[in-house]
Amino acid sequence: MSHPNSSRTPAVVLDRVTFSWPDGTPVLRDTSVAFGPGRTGVVGANGAGKSTLLRLVGGRLRPQAGSVTTHGEVGYLPQQVTLATDATVADLLGVRAVLDALRAIGRGEVSEAVFEAVGDAWDVEARSAAVLDAIGLSAIGLDRPVGTLSGGETVLTALAGLRLAGFPVVLLDEPTNNLDRPSRRRLREQLASWRGALLVVSHDRALLDLMDDTAEVRDEAVSVFGGGFTAFTEHVEQEDAAARRALRTAEQALRAERRQRIAAETAIARRERAGRTARENREAPPIIMNQRKSNAQAAAGRLRGTLDGRVEAARRAVDEQAARVREDDGIRVDLPDPQVPSGRRLAELHDGERVVVLQGPERVALVGRNGIGKTRLLEQLVGRLDRGTGHAADHDVSAVALTERIGYLPQRLDHLADEQSVLDAVRAAAPGAAVGEVRSRLARFGLRGADVERPVGTLSGGERFRVALARLLLADPPSQLLVLDEPTNSLDRSSVDALVNALSGYRGAMLVVSHDDELLSRLAVDRWLELDEDGLRER
């Protein structure tokens, strides 16, 4: 891939970096890469090492070999913003020490320590208010406990703190996870005008398209492409198509060389038979016949050596071209028909004033801000909550299931028993299916051979997701209604594609909670419901 920003001084440089986990699992091997002073999106499959790369750049991990150089201090926003329970907005902004010193001076303290703590930051309260106002959080006070903020408010405030600190290099790890639409929009607005070097790990396509460059972590290496995510994916698709064409050409050449090798062996065998017949018929003196035999054997050996070399060269060419082709990790499975006619009523959602009926094979999106009660409503629908406990604080909304055949994919895949094997986890949803049939179906989800005997607790996040999806879609009898709660959180692009491909053939009803508009578009949603403080309404 192209190397961007070659004319600009890089902000981050990895020089022949090697890093492996204590169990020997490699992440990066002899990797050299430079990140420019602008915005770089970091992409790659789940488990490829994206978060590890950020931790190496931020100095939280050290490579076993090589070096990491950053031009300036590094600010870091991890996936989970964890703070002490007594932390405040000032702590999240990184201004607590200065604010405390200013307040001490206001009370009359004149010690050298408090003046050193303030330094030149006498306007810290005004600057803090300005950055909070810029992200739409002007009403949040600096002393407000972080525990009272929503997830989106917490992430945006932490981001404001990084901006306020003026770090030359900032690292963001999945900043939009679990954020609602307004929070995602405000975060993108902040990053669109970001000054300084920015490395962002994300699966959010809209966010990644704001980036100047795209870095991919793959096969224990990092490559950088000059452009946003859409341009990057188009480039990858073109490269992969070219690689597949080159592979087909190499395979054809290998077949041709093998045919020539077989033809040559046939010709050699015919000549050997003719030589034996000539010797048996004493067509020439023995010394001449022996010399002819020796010459023929030498010529056959040279020919075999030449042809074997050409076959081996063709085989190496096939291997080289195959290595350039990206593995197709998609899911292709024929799903049973759950028999859901258009008038079949499957569920009801009540908000005290109206009843929303889910019926037939329709696909419904349920949206609303974080904390409004979407997950509690889904859990009540699938039987994880009693009817009386499924209400959010600001409204009275409840759910009633009208079918027992409901499949549920929760936000966290904690419904799978870690000690259970992959095979047993899926068979539990289809107890009548033969072992061989379940194995065959699992293979179509990319789970093959010994992998199906592994305990679920040993799987990567992407593998665990595939088990949960297989269990959901291979249930017997098939679910008439699928309930999906933020199914793409923390999924890489291939896993999202796998989800969409698998669901494309589903002929039942679907209720999906998601902040991912791209996913909802790809799932061909028929109806949109919004949950807010006043209850449910159609969009």
Side-chain angles (χ1 to χ4, degrees), residues 25-222:
T25 302
V27 180
L28 297 177
R29 189 188 304 275
D30 198 29
T31 295
S32 296
V33 66
F35 300 105
R39 299 162 300 185
T40 301
V42 182
V43 301
N46 287 344
K50 303 184 295 296
S51 295
T52 304
L53 173 65
L54 292 197
R55 293 167 69 187
L56 285 165
V57 172
R60 286 161 173 78
L61 293 174
R62 293 188 179 278
Q64 281 94 31
S67 62
V68 179
T69 304
T70 60
H71 291 269
E73 193 176 358
V74 177
Y76 179 55
L77 181 66
Q79 281 195 35
Q80 303 297 331
V81 184
T82 55
L83 292 170
T85 56
D86 58 349
T88 65
V89 168
D91 294 306
L92 202 55
L93 289 174
V95 299
R96 168 55 59 194
V98 177
L99 188 62
D100 287 346
L102 281 172
R103 290 173 176 174
I105 292 171
R107 294 192 300 268
E109 187 172 337
V110 293
S111 68
E112 184 178 350
V114 293
F115 282 95
E116 286 182 353
V118 173
D120 296 327
W122 293 94
D123 61 343
V124 66
E125 290 189 81
R127 289 193 295 117
S128 297
V131 296
L132 289 173
D133 182 61
I135 57 176
L137 300 178
S138 56
I140 295 180
L142 293 178
D143 293 318
R144 180 169 169 177
V146 171
T148 66
L149 303 179
S150 70
E153 290 170 337
T154 301
V155 170
L156 289 170
T157 303
L159 183 66
L162 294 174
R163 191 163 204 162
L164 189 63
F167 291 109
V169 179
V170 169
L171 317 175
L172 308 179
D173 196 354
E174 295 287 3
T176 62
N177 271 5
N178 299 315
L179 296 193
D180 55 23
R181 282 173 180 75
S183 297
R184 288 187 181 210
R185 184 180 63 254
R186 289 199 294 270
L187 184 139
R188 288 196 295 267
E189 289 170 352
Q190 289 296 298
L191 299 190
S193 60
W194 195 269
R195 294 182 179 275
L198 191 66
L199 269 66
V200 184
V201 169
S202 181
H203 298 117
D204 185 329
R205 189 177 193 122
L207 177 61
L208 291 170
D209 270 337
L210 293 176
M211 302 294 106
D212 304 304
D213 304 319
T214 301
E216 183 183 31
V217 183
R218 182 172 181 260
D219 295 337
E220 301 167 24
V222 183

Side-chain angles (χ1 to χ4, degrees), residues 425-439:
V426 176
R427 287 191 69 200
V435 172
E437 176 66 16
V438 175
R439 282 181 173 273

